[in-house]
Amino acid sequence: GPCTWSVESGNAARDASAPLSAAVPHGLWLSAGSVVSNSGFPGGIAVSAGESFSLSLFVLVRSGPVSLEARIVDTATDGMLGSASLLASAPAGVAWRAVKMPLIALRASGARGCRLQLRAAGGDAAKVGVTVVSLFPTQTWKGRKNGLRTDVAAWLNESQPAFIRMPG
């Protein structure tokens, strides 16, 4: 499903050893050398060249120093379409912290879309947790924060439906 992270390499696992809150009890823990990815939807995430996204997540460095990078990777070719450094040689911490930054697609995804990839690096004992990961387009219908996709909202606006049932 859309919330499923796949381990591409290294050692990564989901557990409840350090909950963010009662509502978010699990984190995804990555060891140095781990690479995990999420395709978002069946068929991947479609991106256009130059498209900007807001990437947000919570991180907790259990043991460091550790570096964490986010990438947008084409599903068919494994080519990197964009990247952002989330942590650089971060030391161990005691609390989850929010990280938010832009992530820009330098090239368009192919027909099979792309996936969001997180890559951890550091010493042998390095371990970092991530949770509540969100990749959201900055360009939305009428510029509303966390708004609707422009293509879907434009279609709805043009079709002038008699009613809209949400969700679904």
Side-chain angles (χ1 to χ4, degrees):
C3 295
T4 304
W5 286 88
S6 300
V7 178
E8 294 188 18
S9 66
N11 185 15
R14 180 178 178 259
D15 73 34
S17 62
L20 174 67
S21 68
V24 184
H26 295 94
L28 179 62
W29 295 91
L30 293 80
S31 297
S34 296
V35 177
V36 297
S37 66
N38 189 313
S39 296
F41 306 99
I45 306 164
V47 300
S48 302
E51 188 173 4
S52 177
F53 295 88
S54 176
L55 174 63
S56 63
L57 66 157
F58 285 87
V59 297
L60 173 58
V61 178
R62 183 168 279 164
S63 56
V66 66
S67 297
L68 186 64
E69 179 186 30
R71 291 183 175 183
I72 302 173
V73 178
D74 189 89
T75 300
T77 67
D78 283 335
M80 185 173 63
L81 307 177
S83 69
S85 176
L86 305 173
L87 298 174
S89 298
V94 294
W96 289 94
R97 66 180 180 146
V99 174
K100 186 173 183 176
M101 65 181 38
L103 183 56
I104 298 171
L106 303 176
R107 296 189 331 259
S109 58
R112 291 178 49 204
C114 64
R115 64 192 185 274
L116 175 63
Q117 193 179 70
L118 298 176
R119 305 170 69 88
D124 291 341
K127 194 165 199 173
V128 61
V130 298
T131 193
V132 192
V133 180
S134 174
L135 182 67
F136 205 89
T138 54
Q139 177 77 28
T140 60
W141 177 250
K142 296 189 176 184
R144 294 184 175 131
K145 186 176 178 178
N146 297 328
L148 298 171
R149 284 180 22 194
T150 53
D151 56 342
V152 174
W155 176 80
L156 282 171
N157 187 53
E158 290 170 12
S159 65
Q160 295 294 311
F163 71 94
I164 298 177
R165 188 177 133 239
M166 295 300 243

